[in-house]
Amino acid sequence: MGPPSRDAWAQRLAAFRASPSAFMAGPQGEDLGRDLLSDLRNDKLSEQTKVSLLSLSLEYSAQLWPDAHSAEAAATSLLDTLVLLPPRPSALRRPLLLAATAALAAGGALGPASGASLRLLPLLLGLASGRDRGGSLWPALEQGSLQATACECLRELESCRPGLLRDALGLLRDALGREGPMQPLSLLLALALRHALALPPPAATRTSLQGLLTAPAAAAGSCPWNWMPAEDSDFALQCHVPNWPPVAAEGAQGLELRPEESRELRATVAQLLDTSYLLSPVAQAQLLWLLGRALRGLRGQLPALFKPQLARLLGAAPPVLLHAVLALKAAFGEALFTAQDEALLLCRLTLAAQHPALPLPTHLFYLQCLLNFPENWPLGPEGEEAAPLLLGPRMCRGLLPSPLHEPMALLARLHLLCLLCAEDQDEEEEGGQAQSLRCYLQELLAGLRRRAALEGGPRATATLCFQASYLATCCLAGQPAVLTPLVHGLAQLYRARPVLAPHFVDLLDQVGRELGEPLKVALRQEVVSAPGRDAALGWHLQMLAKVVDRDSQDATLRFLWAAGAHCPDWHLQQALLRVCRALLGTGGGGGLADLLQALARQLDDPDGRDHARLYYILLSHLAGPKLGAALGPSLATPAAAGAATSSLVAENQGFAATLMVQEAAAPVRLSVGPRVAQGQLPVLRLQVEALQPVYSLELRFRVEGQLYGPLQEVHVPCLRPSRPTSPLLLPLQPKRPAPAQLAVRAMYTTPSGLTCHARLPPLPVTFADLFLPFPQPPVGSEQGFFQELWNACLPKGAESRVWCALGPQGLDAVVSRHLEPFVVVAQPPTSFCVAIRLPPDSCLLLRLEAPRSDGVPVALRTDDWALLPLAGDYIRGLSAAG
């Protein structure tokens, strides 16, 4: 089967561009890259078709060569195709260079182990520097375009591997002084210089910055490459970030400039700046940006190198150059711009923003430059919005907003006006001009409200009014002289057009307390003063659900009683019930309970009646915290809520999720503390540590099987982290004296009012936890008491002897630590008689005889032969227990 024809390729390319991922996943995707590389050498295809194939590889390099291996093979094939081109002018040389570069960069194959990289880099550097013309490979007519293309390719590779061309700075600087494409070489040298200054030099190099910039011109291909990766993996991306990072993160982190290095750097930067006027405006802006980032943070008078360019740049028309000047001002401040320069720049921006023939994007650009002007000495804290100090009311008279402006321009001008009004609010500056600006602002906002109040007016007009109100609130939050008329005006706007209720709700969600609280009061008064049978009842109920408050319950309930008789359809009933729900959140009351009972009887829709009945039950049976938790955000899953056939079902799922006991992580950590042998029943002393605030904690214990009787719950009113707590006492009721594991569950209430339960790790009850002492015999009868117990064990019980290893500790230490409460007769250090009572009705008697060198023999008797294994294990483990 022969290679695809031109029409076949056109169909394949159209299918690929329609959905690259789907095409590559299909059967034709496997061979696309291989066929593309093969057909580049097909003489039957025209150059135009081959250029289309190469443009595809440029746009979709990551899809065609997704890994380093395929990218390496593709770049090698592209370079071989480049070499095989005939020595006549061809439209394929530039796309082949770009495609090979894109393959290495996108596939991650660029590196010292890549043969294609070691072939491509010397070729590109030789073309970019103009020293390797390629002999007969490159026709003379293509030298200029190939040199520019090589510079673009090297910039791409330098961006992917910052510092790659560090040792080629001298070669590039030398090429800039000769004839050749000025713009690509300037941008390439500036990028390489920026990376060389910002990145620390490789540990193995000893070449200074002066040596790098004055390195003699080497033969093409002999320049070593710096393959050391940047320590900051995001450094390559920072090259295109429009903001300026802090000075501490910029410039010469590993490079301390000496005088000779500073001198050579000055000469290089001056060389780039002196020829920058030959570049396009966009290229000039990028060059200034790169050089500014390179020099920022270096010591010395290096920013002064930009000074000769300021006169030209301040008079330049393109906005991109003005933006570059502002970037330099943000970077260097008073080190580069004097107060006169700052005043001139502000005047230029102000006059340019007033030009009547400016297109809207350019007009907005100038206004944004004024709003974010980088001052030399700003007065406020960093990040605070403020108008420039030199920008007074007189200068901005031509920038005042008008309802005739485009909405975006009006908002930008209004933002500037609000910042001007925020300055010196208590002073009369410039003959009362500040006061006149505030009056103008109030008149403008009032005019926007009047336009928004027109019946049937466009939605955009109302949106603009609320956007302007929000902007004024954000900038003038601390000025009651502005906010008070704004609140009254918004209340009148609602009275005129209640249909704007959604806009008011959105505004209340966005503004702070300075406007939000008084606006809620004003809107609430407007709503409750309206008749309950108003045609705008639905909007009134929507607004009331947002602004309802505990302090206005009486007026709100009167309005709801009146409105309840005028809610015939489902939507109005649901809006009415939403207000009731909001009142529930404020605490409710007797009046609300009466209203809910009435609604549960009189509403026509059964869903509404069920809602009213549910709210009444919640109000009657839940206290404040629990009621607030029940009315909070629904915990029901969206799928379950969406599947509900009734709104009550969906809402009730949220209530159920809140009111039912929820499973949660353990809020406390339990451990068994030291035992106290006393009383009629063994008691566990539990140490509890709170991991979070817990209220009404109830601990429930359970033992598998029939070994123990039911265990009592343990209650704790309140626990808080880092607060000491008393031990909890848990009485045990063993039916057989045997160790066990206690399963523990915790039931508790969270600070938000939710009731939760959690499983805690099981608690061990050891054999020793069941020990109890016998009643103390009369003084002098201890020996007879013990002997009587000893004799009573047989013949019903059992007897045994156990060896107890002592280790380094003596017998006295073992007895005092483990058996002291149960010792009846003691003759230290030779023998001890121990009597232990084991509930419900067993005993364990021990005679510890004279200790030997490595242990002590222990004779034991018990009235329950099943205790012998447990007693033997316990005695043998005394030494290990310490």
Side-chain angles (χ1 to χ4, degrees):
M1 187 177 183
S5 64
R6 174 182 174 181
D7 294 337
W9 266 116
Q11 294 177 1
R12 293 182 71 181
L13 295 184
F16 176 82
R17 291 179 185 276
S19 178
S21 57
F23 187 90
M24 295 301 294
Q28 296 182 341
E30 300 179 1
D31 301 330
L32 180 62
R34 185 178 67 251
D35 293 345
L36 187 151
L37 295 174
S38 175
D39 281 5
L40 288 176
R41 304 181 190 180
N42 183 7
D43 295 335
K44 295 182 180 181
L45 292 179
S46 64
E47 282 195 347
Q48 183 179 1
T49 302
K50 294 179 180 179
V51 169
S52 299
L53 297 180
L54 289 172
S55 65
L56 186 78
S57 68
L58 283 173
E59 293 180 46
Y60 301 98
S61 294
Q63 287 81 4
L64 293 172
W65 335 114
D67 52 65
H69 177 73
S70 60
E72 172 76 11
T76 302
S77 177
L78 291 169
L79 291 175
D80 292 340
T81 304
L82 178 65
V83 174
L84 294 176
L85 289 178
R88 64 173 182 270
S90 172
L92 296 178
R93 287 189 175 88
R94 295 178 63 247
L96 282 170
L97 287 175
L98 293 170
T101 302
L104 290 175
L110 183 65
S114 166
S117 300
L118 299 180
R119 288 179 60 189
L120 178 64
L121 282 171
L123 178 63
L124 294 176
L125 188 59
L127 284 171
S129 62
R131 291 189 164 274
D132 185 9
R133 300 287 181 173
S136 60
L137 290 177
W138 322 121
L141 294 177
E142 292 188 68
Q143 294 296 336
S145 61
L146 287 176
Q147 189 174 2
T149 302
C151 291
E152 294 295 331
C153 293
L154 287 175
R155 282 180 61 203
E156 180 68 22
L157 297 178
E158 173 69 17
S159 298
C160 295
R161 177 80 69 149
L164 178 67
L165 300 177
R166 182 178 185 275
D167 296 321
L169 289 174
L171 190 63
L172 296 175
R173 182 187 177 191
D174 181 68
L176 187 63
R178 300 194 305 272
E179 294 183 0
M182 185 68 62
Q183 181 166 302
L185 269 174
S186 298
L187 295 178
L188 176 60
L189 177 57
L191 179 63
L193 182 64
R194 182 251 196 264
H195 288 168
L197 288 172
L199 291 173
T205 184
R206 296 184 178 180
T207 307
S208 64
L209 180 62
Q210 182 187 17
L212 294 176
L213 293 174
T214 60
S222 64
C223 179
W225 314 103
N226 177 25
W227 297 110
M228 295 297 294
E231 293 182 3
D232 185 359
S233 59
D234 297 330
F235 181 81
L237 298 177
Q238 293 177 4
C239 181
H240 303 289
V241 177
N243 63 322
W244 292 84
V247 176
E250 281 288 311
Q253 294 176 355
L255 195 63
E256 186 69 26
L257 297 186
R258 296 188 294 271
E260 59 273 14
E261 291 178 326
S262 181
R263 183 172 55 253
E264 207 58 48
L265 179 60
R266 287 169 180 273
T268 304
V269 174
Q271 182 182 2
L272 288 168
L273 291 175
D274 288 345
T275 56
S276 63
Y277 71 96
L278 299 173
L279 278 57
S280 67
V282 175
Q284 287 186 59
Q286 189 173 6
L287 178 68
L288 292 170
W289 194 89
L290 288 171
L291 293 179
R293 288 286 291 262
L295 301 183
R296 190 185 186 210
L298 295 180
R299 297 178 182 177
Q301 300 300 319
L302 291 173
L305 294 171
F306 294 99
K307 197 70 175 178
Q309 305 295 324
L310 288 184
R312 177 178 65 84
L313 293 173
L314 289 176
V320 66
L321 291 180
L322 183 59
H323 189 266
V325 172
L326 291 173
L328 290 176
K329 192 175 189 310
F332 300 109
E334 68 278 2
L336 182 59
F337 288 80
T338 63
Q340 291 77 10
D341 296 331
E342 188 172 66
L344 176 62
L345 190 54
L346 272 174
C347 184
R348 162 83 194 282
L349 288 171
T350 304
L351 294 176
Q354 299 177 35
H355 198 287
L358 282 179
L360 181 60
T362 307
H363 179 61
L364 293 177
F365 165 76
Y366 286 121
L367 290 174
Q368 287 300 318
C369 290
L370 286 172
L371 290 171
N372 301 279
F373 187 79
E375 294 183 273
N376 285 349
W377 298 99
L379 292 181
E382 185 178 359
E384 182 184 32
E385 275 194 324
L389 293 176
L390 299 178
L391 191 65
R394 184 180 291 112
M395 187 182 296
C396 292
R397 185 172 297 277
L399 292 177
L400 295 180
S402 166
L404 300 178
H405 288 125
E406 291 287 337
M408 295 301 296
L410 185 148
L411 291 175
R413 288 171 174 249
L414 177 64
H415 193 179
L416 183 61
L417 174 60
C418 291
L419 293 180
L420 291 173
C421 293
E423 294 181 351
D424 302 326
Q425 55 178 322
D426 297 327
E427 298 180 6
E428 293 291 331
E429 58 176 334
E430 298 191 17
Q433 292 190 32
Q435 184 64 28
S436 64
L437 287 180
R438 296 190 188 95
C439 294
Y440 183 84
L441 172 63
Q442 294 179 10
E443 293 175 1
L444 174 68
L445 294 175
L448 293 176
R449 290 193 296 270
R450 284 193 295 270
R451 293 176 60 187
L454 295 177
E455 190 67 33
R459 181 178 180 180
T461 303
T463 302
L464 180 62
C465 171
F466 283 94
Q467 288 174 334
S469 301
Y470 171 74
L471 195 58
T473 303
C474 293
C475 297
L476 303 170
Q479 297 196 28
V482 176
L483 295 184
T484 301
L486 180 60
V487 169
H488 291 294
L490 289 173
Q492 293 174 359
L493 175 60
Y494 178 79
R495 184 191 309 163
R497 288 193 70 187
V499 71
L500 298 179
H503 292 275
F504 282 96
V505 171
D506 183 61
L507 180 65
L508 289 171
D509 288 335
Q510 301 298 325
V511 298
R513 293 180 56 87
E514 292 82 2
L515 179 68
E517 293 303 323
L519 183 57
K520 282 184 178 181
V521 173
L523 291 174
R524 188 165 56 243
Q525 292 174 352
E526 291 292 336
V527 172
V528 298
S529 62
R533 58 185 181 275
D534 196 338
L537 180 58
W539 301 119
H540 292 329
L541 292 174
Q542 180 180 355
M543 180 57 63
L544 196 56
K546 181 67 179 178
V547 302
V548 69
D549 195 349
R550 177 189 294 270
D551 299 333
S552 61
Q553 268 201 17
D554 295 339
T556 303
L557 287 173
R558 284 194 298 271
F559 176 82
L560 294 179
W561 275 106
H566 302 281
C567 296
D569 60 354
W570 182 86
H571 296 286
L572 286 177
Q573 293 176 15
Q574 292 299 313
L576 178 65
L577 289 168
R578 278 192 289 270
V579 181
C580 295
R581 180 190 175 113
L583 281 173
L584 277 176
T586 65
L592 179 59
D594 296 339
L595 174 63
L596 290 173
Q597 284 185 308
L599 293 177
R601 292 191 302 267
Q602 73 183 36
L603 290 181
D604 298 332
D605 186 69
D607 192 37
R609 293 197 300 271
D610 291 341
H611 265 93
R613 193 174 297 111
L614 173 63
Y615 292 158
Y616 175 75
I617 293 173
L618 293 175
L619 178 62
S620 304
H621 293 80
L622 296 181
K626 179 70 77 173
L627 182 60
L631 296 173
S634 174
L635 301 179
T637 60
T645 58
S646 165
S647 63
L648 176 66
V649 175
E651 189 172 16
N652 197 29
Q653 287 173 348
F655 290 146
T658 303
L659 300 178
M660 292 176 62
V661 179
Q662 306 292 316
E663 186 172 3
V668 297
R669 187 181 293 121
L670 278 182
S671 60
V672 179
R675 66 179 184 271
V676 177
Q678 60 185 9
Q680 298 299 316
L681 290 175
V683 177
L684 282 185
R685 294 170 61 89
L686 303 179
Q687 304 289 345
V688 58
E689 176 187 358
L691 306 178
Q692 64 188 50
V694 174
Y695 301 97
S696 303
L697 174 65
E698 179 182 277
L699 297 173
R700 300 177 179 179
F701 305 90
R702 187 174 59 87
V703 183
E704 293 289 345
Q706 303 296 325
L707 293 177
Y708 287 68
L711 301 178
Q712 298 179 0
E713 296 87 359
V714 177
H715 298 87
V716 183
C718 177
L719 285 177
R720 291 185 179 275
S722 70
R723 285 191 180 181
T725 58
S726 302
L728 307 180
L729 303 182
L730 176 64
L732 302 177
Q733 296 183 6
K735 298 179 180 179
R736 296 280 299 170
Q741 291 278 345
L742 301 184
V744 187
R745 286 178 175 269
M747 188 86 68
Y748 62 96
T749 301
T750 65
S752 60
L754 294 177
T755 301
C756 301
H757 75 92
R759 294 176 181 269
L760 275 64
L763 291 177
V765 179
T766 65
F767 183 57
D769 290 331
L770 306 177
F771 290 1
L772 291 173
F774 278 92
Q776 189 71 25
V779 178
S781 62
E782 292 89 349
Q783 184 67 43
F785 174 74
F786 182 80
Q787 189 62 40
E788 182 180 350
L789 292 176
W790 183 268
N791 295 333
C793 289
L794 296 179
K796 184 181 67 170
E799 183 178 13
S800 180
R801 296 183 69 84
V802 181
W803 181 259
C804 177
L806 294 179
Q809 55 189 345
L811 180 60
D812 287 347
V814 172
V815 172
S816 63
R817 181 169 301 176
H818 300 284
L819 301 172
E820 185 174 6
F822 317 105
V823 175
V824 178
V825 180
Q827 297 177 356
T830 58
S831 67
F832 296 87
C833 296
V834 178
I836 300 172
R837 185 166 61 89
L838 291 166
D841 53 3
S842 301
C843 68
L844 175 64
L845 306 177
L846 307 177
R847 274 184 172 170
L848 285 71
E849 302 175 359
R852 313 282 176 84
S853 59
D854 57 347
V856 59
V858 180
L860 62 88
R861 282 189 183 184
T862 176
D863 57 358
D864 186 356
W865 62 269
L867 296 180
L868 285 180
L870 298 173
D873 293 341
Y874 171 72
I875 293 172
R876 283 187 288 269
L878 287 179
S879 175

